[in-house]
Amino acid sequence: MKKLIVANFKMNQNLNEAKQYFTKFVANFKGERANVIFCPPFVSLSLANYFLQGTPIKLGAQNVNEEEAGAYTGEISANMLKSVGAEYVIIGHSERRNKFKESDKLINKKIKTSLKNGLKCILCVGESAIDKNSGKTSEIIRKQLEEDLKGLYENELESVIIAYEPIWAIGTGNNASVKDVEMVAKIIRKVIYENFSEKASRDIQLLYGGSLNEKNYQALLGSNGIDGGLFGGVSLKVDSFLNIANSVR
Ligand code: PEP
């Protein structure tokens, strides 16, 4: 089965840079080993959609508002994202949980609104360094998953991908070990089993994210129970990301 490779550009790349990036990526992506989803900033979604149309590469956003429409100055709705070609949205990234104080309750609402509007969700969960060092990884991951996925029907889980992104590994150069990733993948599948079903726990796609690079991605994405990766910093370097997307096993 092909690996799923997701790029999170965060608040990087203007329109001109995006144009150069997507021109090169589309021309050189072989598509034999990976399914790819790009999550550029909102302002580049339309342009990215233009370049990605007719290719197997999919488009996602990095955030969405939990309401359908209305007086929410500066916000973007799920329906708007669909209309510019996004099929996915990242929800619950640790930068949004921590820097923008997004709660599990809000994340749950964002997931429900996104699913209702036909967007697939890439839900990020992960523990802090303090949680890890005090042996609370399992407890934190369970709490996030149970609150974020509360009230979802089992068939809706088919439109949810879960990314394990330990906070201490994001943007730090300090990636998790294969052992850590395999342990958390087991925890996630157990929580899905207990709250949904055996089938759901088997079928749900799990990603690892946190300081993936050209040296460590093969080993980490080869972890048991992991279906792909969420890439931040390295995804901005088109040659490196092409190498990853074309070579992943
Ligand atoms: C991310 O922000 O989702 C991420 C994984 O970032 P990085 O690869 O830069 O650690």
Side-chain angles (χ1 to χ4, degrees), residues 8 10 93 95 165 169-172 209-212 230-234:
N8 174 14
K10 312 194 186 191
H93 191 282
E95 287 154 16
E165 293 219 308
I170 297 177
T172 58
S211 294
L212 284 166
L230 179 45
F231 295 76
V234 75

Side-chain angles (χ1 to χ4, degrees), residues 125-129 131-132 137 140-141 144 164-168:
V125 295
E127 82 286 9
S128 67
D131 295 331
K132 180 177 166 61
T137 300
I140 296 291
I141 301 284
Q144 289 175 342
Y164 170 49
E165 293 219 308
I167 299 169
W168 47 270

Side-chain angles (χ1 to χ4, degrees), residues 32-248:
E32 288 156 7
R33 295 173 177 267
N35 293 317
V36 176
I37 304 170
F38 278 107
C39 301
F42 290 136
V43 292
S44 302
L45 285 170
S46 269
L47 178 99
N49 187 41
Y50 171 80
F51 281 98
L52 301 182
Q53 258 173 17
T55 79
I57 303 166
K58 306 288 188 193
L59 192 58
Q62 298 171 22
N63 185 27
V64 64
N65 189 271
E66 65 280 12
E67 302 295 342
E68 295 284 348
Y72 301 99
T73 302
E75 291 296 295
I76 305 285
S77 73
N79 175 271
M80 291 173 195
L81 295 177
K82 283 285 283 184
S83 75
V84 293
E87 290 179 56
Y88 294 83
V89 59
I90 297 174
I91 296 182
H93 191 282
S94 65
E95 287 154 16
R96 296 221 56 93
R97 289 178 188 265
N98 297 329
K99 296 182 182 171
F100 299 93
K101 305 288 169 242
E102 292 194 3
S103 65
D104 287 303
K105 200 169 169 202
L106 179 70
I107 289 165
N108 178 252
K109 199 162 178 207
K110 287 188 176 201
I111 292 176
K112 287 179 175 162
T113 305
S114 300
L115 294 175
K116 195 169 152 208
N117 282 277
L119 279 175
K120 296 183 181 123
C121 301
I122 302 168
L123 168 65
C124 301
V125 295
E127 82 286 9
S128 67
I130 295 175
D131 295 331
K132 180 177 166 61
N133 295 335
S134 48
K136 286 195 181 151
T137 300
S138 174
E139 186 188 318
I140 296 291
I141 301 284
R142 173 178 290 275
K143 181 177 177 296
Q144 289 175 342
L145 288 172
E146 290 186 343
E147 292 185 13
D148 298 347
L149 300 175
K150 196 170 176 175
L152 258 66
Y153 296 106
E154 185 175 333
N155 67 339
E156 291 179 308
L157 267 199
E158 288 164 19
S159 300
V160 178
I161 296 163
I162 297 172
Y164 170 49
E165 293 219 308
I167 299 169
W168 47 270
I170 297 177
T172 58
N174 192 14
N175 59 277
S177 66
V178 168
K179 200 169 152 225
D180 287 330
V181 175
E182 290 185 343
M183 183 197 77
V184 176
K186 266 194 198 156
I187 294 168
I188 295 173
R189 291 192 192 275
K190 184 162 185 268
V191 175
I192 299 296
Y193 174 78
E194 288 167 7
N195 286 271
F196 294 90
S197 72
E198 205 257 317
K199 183 177 183 311
S201 80
R202 221 182 325 117
D203 291 351
I204 194 137
Q205 284 192 291
L206 299 192
L207 311 179
Y208 165 74
S211 294
L212 284 166
N213 59 40
E214 281 177 284
K215 290 198 180 123
N216 64 20
Y217 78 100
Q218 295 284 25
L220 283 158
L221 270 49
S223 303
N224 278 326
I226 290 295
D227 304 295
L230 179 45
F231 295 76
V234 75
S235 70
L236 289 162
K237 299 177 197 150
V238 68
D239 291 322
S240 302
F241 199 56
L242 267 168
N243 177 32
I244 290 170
N246 284 335
S247 319
V248 65

